[in-house]
Amino acid sequence: GSASRSRTILFAHSFSLSPHTTNMAGRSFGKVFDWTAMARRLPAYNAREVAVVRDRYTSITSALAATSAEPAAIDWEGFSKQITYKNFVADLKKEFDSLKFEYPTDTKSQAIASDQAAAVAYTQEVKASNEALIASLEAELAAIKAEKPLDQVTVDEVLANKPEWNKKFDEEIAAGKWD
């Protein structure tokens, strides 16, 4: 449900991503991760899994970076000399040249950016709320630590701090419940 989504959002935003993207053939294909910061934020028992993911990610990005932006030119003349079927290579070249490959239109980035902005805003709200709660709990803890030890507190001091108890005890005494 929403609690699971919130944990996922908080988990995803706990990692440090640099603003730089890796470039392959003139197109962006991913963010560069700060693996050290990520490993520091995860429990020690996840170190091996982080290393495996880092190594796999590095090998994939290296392979993509080594890929040429443009495919190798087709040697149509060389194929024409090797294939003896009349006009086969010429027809194939004509069909190949008529193909148009368009890079897909980006229809998701705006929605992703909007979701990311909402997740960051939610994370900031949770952070502010938690910081306020921590401050309140620290103040309460300081007040508890400042109190006298229980064995040194008198009944009069307790009743002075809890006037409702004093009223209740007086009512009970008047009703004869303390005989």
Side-chain angles (χ1 to χ4, degrees):
S2 66
S4 174
R5 185 177 189 288
S6 298
R7 281 193 301 274
T8 302
I9 290 170
L10 290 174
F11 179 74
H13 286 282
S14 69
F15 296 121
S16 173
L17 298 176
S18 80
H20 307 292
T21 56
T22 306
N23 194 347
M24 181 202 75
R27 293 187 302 267
S28 255
F29 68 88
K31 294 194 177 208
V32 178
F33 292 92
D34 184 351
W35 295 103
T36 306
M38 187 184 307
R40 268 189 264 125
R41 289 188 173 137
L42 292 173
Y45 60 83
N46 290 114
R48 196 175 116 201
E49 287 84 358
V50 171
V52 168
V53 171
R54 181 196 62 223
D55 293 345
R56 184 74 175 131
Y57 180 82
T58 302
S59 71
I60 290 171
T61 54
S62 296
L64 288 173
T67 304
S68 172
E70 295 295 323
I74 299 173
D75 182 12
W76 295 109
E77 232 177 89
F79 287 125
S80 294
K81 291 177 185 173
Q82 294 176 8
I83 299 175
T84 58
Y85 295 113
K86 186 176 182 180
N87 294 328
F88 179 77
V89 174
D91 291 342
L92 191 59
K93 182 181 183 316
K94 180 180 169 187
E95 289 296 321
F96 181 81
D97 290 342
S98 70
L99 292 175
K100 298 295 179 209
F101 298 99
E102 294 183 23
Y103 196 72
T105 305
D106 181 6
T107 59
K108 303 291 183 188
S109 289
Q110 187 174 6
I112 291 170
S114 173
D115 287 349
Q116 182 178 4
V120 168
Y122 173 75
T123 303
Q124 295 301 327
E125 288 174 22
V126 169
K127 178 182 175 186
S129 171
N130 287 343
E131 286 173 347
L133 177 61
I134 289 169
S136 168
L137 292 173
E138 285 175 344
E140 187 176 335
L141 182 60
I144 291 170
K145 286 181 178 180
E147 290 180 357
K148 282 171 118 177
L150 193 55
D151 61 349
Q152 296 176 9
V153 177
T154 66
V155 172
D156 291 333
E157 290 173 330
V158 171
L159 293 178
N161 287 332
K162 301 283 187 179
E164 67 275 5
W165 287 7
N166 197 16
K167 181 180 176 188
K168 181 181 177 186
F169 294 151
D170 286 343
E171 290 171 0
E172 289 178 0
I173 291 171
K177 293 182 179 179
W178 286 68
D179 290 335

